Amino acid sequence: MSKSSRVLVIGGGSTGCGIARDLAMRGVDVTLVEKGNLTHGTTGRMHGLLHSGGRYAVSDQASAEECIQENRVLRRIASHCVEMTGGLFVQRPEDADEYFEQKLDGCRECGIPAEVLSAAEAREIEPYLAEDIERAIRVPDGAIDPFRLCVANAADAVEHGARVETHSEVTDVLVEDGEVVGVEVEHAAGSGKYVHGHPGETEKLYADYVVNATGAWAGQIGEMAGVEVAVRPSKGVMTIMNVRQVDTVINRCRPKGDADIVVPHETTCILGTTDEEVEDPEDYPEEGWEVDLMIDTLSELVPILDEARTIRSFWGVRPLYEPPEVGSEDPTDITRDFFLLDHDERDGLPGMASIVGGKLTTYRMMAEQISDHVCEKLGVDAECHTAEEPLPGSEDFSVLREWMDEFGLRSPIGKRSAQRLGSRTDEVLGEWDGPNPTVCECEAVTRAEINDAIDDAGSELNAVRLRTRASMGNCQGAFCCHRMANELSPEYDESVARKALDDLYQERWKGERHALWGEQLSQAMLKHLLHATTMNRDGDPAKTDDPVDFTAFDAGPDGGAATGDGQQSEDAVADGGITDETNAGEGAADADS
């Protein structure tokens, strides 16, 4: 079986979705393929910072200028994805005055609004800043929801005629007579608007031009085509706190270093990050000391972090790239600028280009430049309008009201729903027929939102999570995973709903296991008991044909080893409360990925 289109984009992150939208708006027939959900790669594993450019105002001014330009664009076209928190570059006593002045001058040289604040003025904005800070620079940083942003771009691409295929991994780049003519994909499990194949099915997708927008995976796609794309993946850890300890992006005003930023995001704060080069973007160590470093170091700026609870940690891999002749040894020295590689001009392989490097903040600019390139190659005379046309949900900011009484919602929940849905609020909530209870209390996600996401994502509850933030709050799905699965009925049968529940639960677990110590071990056990035993997610012996040795169940809540006081061992908790093959399934293996 095969399909064809004019352009095929590989990669469903911010850049790939932005390219698909841009080309589709120009009238180009485009297909996007992504091996997982949208945001599966780097986009779904970033700290949510909408850059002002201040972080690069000294070391990489070209990137800084791009960031402040696109910062302003995204505030216009993606208002329902952005919270303009503002940002502070904070100086501690041990931080050099010279660098503070360089940062201030650099911001002004790059056109980034920058204002010097005294320590007292900075603490008036953020009372939990350390008492011994000396001063700060205020810049227009913000927070952005990468999941909502990606989905909005993909949805708009589809509205303009694009085809988006998730759970479709590229297994080969098709080269005929020395020219790239398409790709071969293998479809995985999934159902919904963006899933077009059947699990295990292999399909050839042909196109006049192929765009490699896979970020840290660009080298692997290049290798399939027989060309080198020397991406240098660099991992960084992010740790999510239980509440917003600050409402402003807090940066440490010093030269490059680990653990130097706190980003308030939705109901949480995200601490970041490290910068360590790795060979494989999917196979690298995730170590506990990295999480400890975030808390210990950033507590020097915001001491209350030392007493706060973490709810999960995750690692992302940056798609860093620099021309091979530069040869930086330290990944922090590599530019955050982006590069368009025309493989015809560079490698003598027509039919394909790669876009590498860059930041989420500059995704739209990257998409515009490569879309210009593709249109030139194909002889398409059409201009880019993505900087002016708002994304779905951002057309009318006035819908973000403080109350939603007309939809039968209490004010705080209505406000949260409206913030997520933007100008789609009336469509999703106003047209919902029936009771609209809150499904996820932590993030105030209602039944109407969950069902709207299911209409779009199908039975893939992790895709529903990305669209709504349900299960991403303090309890990490402890009290809402099963409620989300319940909303799949009656459209999907029981086996599909149970598999979706297991996948969602394991996805939540794999980010929690790095943060478990002290009382949080007990909290993890509570969550396990709620799901694995109360709801029989560890297997019901009454349904087993073979004789059951019930003494095993006396040993612990999942039939595994127990400690002397009847509680499950910490080792079992550290494995997600799953200790046998029956319980582990696909999700347990995924928890270590």
Side-chain angles (χ1 to χ4, degrees), residues 77 79-80 156 390-398 421-424:
I77 70 166
S79 57
H80 72 309
D156 206 30
L391 287 161
S394 290
E395 295 94 333
D396 181 6
F397 196 78
S398 67
L421 295 167
S423 57
R424 296 188 64 242

Side-chain angles (χ1 to χ4, degrees), residues 556-580:
D558 67 347
T563 58
D565 60 1
Q567 296 298 311
Q568 189 181 27
S569 69
E570 290 191 5
D571 286 344
V573 174
D575 288 332
I578 295 175
T579 57
D580 59 49

Side-chain angles (χ1 to χ4, degrees), residues 476-493:
Q476 290 291 288
F479 300 105
C480 65
C481 275
H482 62 290
R483 298 175 186 166
M484 294 169 66
N486 184 63
E487 295 302 318
L488 295 175
S489 177
E491 182 174 353
Y492 297 94
D493 62 32

Side-chain angles (χ1 to χ4, degrees), residues 77-81 148 152 390-401 404 407 417-431:
I77 70 166
S79 57
H80 72 309
C81 303
R148 202 177 302 160
L391 287 161
S394 290
E395 295 94 333
D396 181 6
F397 196 78
S398 67
V399 301
L400 303 185
R401 291 168 291 214
M404 305 300 276
F407 302 132
S417 297
Q419 286 171 334
R420 283 188 294 265
L421 295 167
S423 57
R424 296 188 64 242
T425 301
D426 292 333
E427 171 192 342
V428 175
L429 301 183
E431 296 180 8

Side-chain angles (χ1 to χ4, degrees), residues 139-466:
V139 296
D141 282 336
I144 189 165
D145 187 319
F147 310 113
R148 202 177 302 160
L149 182 72
C150 251
V151 170
N153 274 275
D156 206 30
V158 171
E159 287 297 314
H160 284 87
R163 187 166 73 248
V164 175
E165 302 203 12
T166 58
H167 302 282
S168 300
E169 182 173 6
V170 172
T171 56
D172 194 16
V173 175
L174 304 177
V175 180
E176 296 179 2
D177 299 324
E179 180 177 1
V180 174
V181 297
V183 300
E184 182 179 82
V185 300
E186 181 176 339
H187 297 289
S191 60
K193 182 183 295 185
Y194 298 149
V195 180
H196 297 264
H198 300 287
E201 177 186 60
T202 299
E203 184 177 15
K204 291 183 178 179
L205 304 177
Y206 290 95
D208 296 330
Y209 206 83
V210 173
V211 177
N212 176 13
T214 55
W217 289 261
Q220 297 177 5
I221 298 298
E223 187 176 352
M224 293 179 190
V227 297
E228 182 180 13
V229 182
V231 176
R232 295 173 59 176
S234 172
K235 74 167 182 173
V237 66
M238 272 69 69
T239 297
I240 303 179
M241 309 309 290
N242 60 325
V243 296
R244 286 172 65 128
Q245 284 82 12
V246 295
D247 286 322
T248 309
V249 175
I250 305 298
N251 302 267
R252 181 78 174 263
C253 194
R254 65 180 182 187
K256 60 187 181 183
D258 292 335
D260 64 353
I261 188 169
V262 184
V263 182
H265 185 70
E266 300 283 346
T267 58
T268 65
C269 274
I270 301 178
L271 315 185
T273 178
T274 48
D275 203 340
E276 182 179 346
E277 197 162 347
V278 296
E279 293 185 3
D280 189 328
E282 294 198 51
D283 185 14
Y284 51 84
E286 300 177 348
E287 301 179 85
W289 67 263
E290 298 175 271
V291 177
D292 294 340
L293 177 66
M294 294 303 105
I295 298 169
D296 294 344
T297 305
L298 285 164
S299 293
E300 297 173 4
L301 285 179
V302 185
I304 196 175
L305 291 173
D306 192 42
E307 305 170 10
R309 182 169 73 88
T310 63
I311 59 174
R312 70 186 290 112
S313 295
F314 62 94
W315 279 254
V317 181
R318 304 173 185 86
L320 301 184
Y321 180 88
E322 65 179 4
E325 64 271 14
V326 177
S328 299
E329 295 184 2
D330 186 339
T332 60
D333 291 331
I334 300 175
T335 178
R336 268 45 177 177
D337 204 353
F338 61 89
F339 297 84
L340 194 164
L341 309 180
D342 182 337
H343 294 298
D344 185 10
E345 295 179 2
R346 200 191 71 156
D347 305 298
L349 180 68
M352 186 170 91
S354 297
I355 185 84
V356 290
K359 307 288 296 179
L360 180 133
T361 300
T362 59
Y363 89 91
R364 193 215 58 83
M365 177 185 288
M366 296 167 65
E368 178 179 351
Q369 289 198 14
I370 198 163
S371 295
D372 286 344
H373 172 81
V374 171
C375 287
E376 181 180 353
K377 289 285 186 179
L378 298 179
V380 174
D381 184 13
E383 295 183 356
C384 175
H385 296 287
T386 59
E388 297 84 33
E389 293 292 328
L391 287 161
S394 290
E395 295 94 333
D396 181 6
F397 196 78
S398 67
V399 301
L400 303 185
R401 291 168 291 214
E402 295 293 327
W403 67 90
M404 305 300 276
D405 289 339
E406 62 268 44
F407 302 132
L409 298 170
R410 290 182 295 111
S411 175
I413 297 174
K415 181 179 179 181
R416 291 282 292 147
S417 297
Q419 286 171 334
R420 283 188 294 265
L421 295 167
S423 57
R424 296 188 64 242
T425 301
D426 292 333
E427 171 192 342
V428 175
L429 301 183
E431 296 180 8
W432 178 253
D433 183 18
N436 191 22
T438 304
V439 175
C440 170
E441 284 95 347
C442 295
E443 293 294 324
V445 184
T446 67
R447 175 176 288 168
E449 285 184 80
I450 295 291
N451 279 271
D452 176 66
I454 290 172
D455 288 344
D456 192 41
S459 64
E460 176 69 67
L461 289 181
N462 275 304
V464 172
R465 168 179 61 84
L466 299 182

